[in-house]
């Protein structure tokens, strides 16, 4: 089975690294799926979930907030300003952040909190 090597890196740490069959990320031009053999890509990452289907059949979901995505020669690099794996997200804290953002009418903070909640719950963001 064909695979691609994935590196998800945040500004402060390596978040995840491994082999995958497909990765779906939100870019400036919309949701983009990358599979082995895809044409080279360089794009801006938008705030949104990143879904990684691993070669062992598992799924890794991360909340990503800004950055870049680069793909060439079956190597995918996701360089994020902020990235959290679903199991690292404190759901109660994200819910509080969402409520606070709504009260303050802060659309960007609201979107970040929604993405964190969707990732933590394993759902797709709207």
């Amino acid at each position: 089975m064909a695979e691609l090597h994935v590196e998800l890196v945040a500004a402060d740490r390596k978040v995840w690294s491994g082999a995958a069959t497909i990765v779906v990320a939100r870019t400036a031009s919309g949701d983009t799926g990358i599979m082995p053999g895809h044409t080279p890509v360089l794009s801006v990452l938008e705030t949104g979930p990143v879904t990684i289907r691993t070669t062992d059949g598992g799924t890794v979901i991360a909340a990503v907030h800004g950055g870049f995505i680069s793909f060439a020669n079956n190597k995918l690099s996701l360089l994020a300003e902020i990235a959290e794996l679903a199991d690292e997200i404190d759901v109660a804290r994200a819910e509080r952040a969402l409520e606070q953002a709504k009260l303050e009418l802060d659309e960007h903070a609201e979107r970040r909190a929604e993405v964190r909640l969707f990732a933590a719950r394993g759902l797709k963001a709207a």
Side-chain angles (χ1 to χ4, degrees), residues 75-117:
K75 294 180 183 173
L76 179 67
S77 297
L78 299 130
L79 309 170
E81 293 174 28
I82 300 170
E84 299 172 277
L85 294 175
D87 62 0
E88 297 173 338
I89 296 170
D90 180 335
V91 173
R93 182 172 174 237
E95 288 171 342
R96 288 191 304 272
L98 178 60
E99 292 307 314
Q100 186 65 33
K102 287 180 178 180
L103 288 173
E104 296 174 0
L105 303 175
D106 184 338
E107 292 179 17
H108 295 292
E110 187 174 337
R111 177 71 181 146
R112 286 190 304 271
E114 287 174 344
V115 167
R116 293 179 75 231
L117 286 170

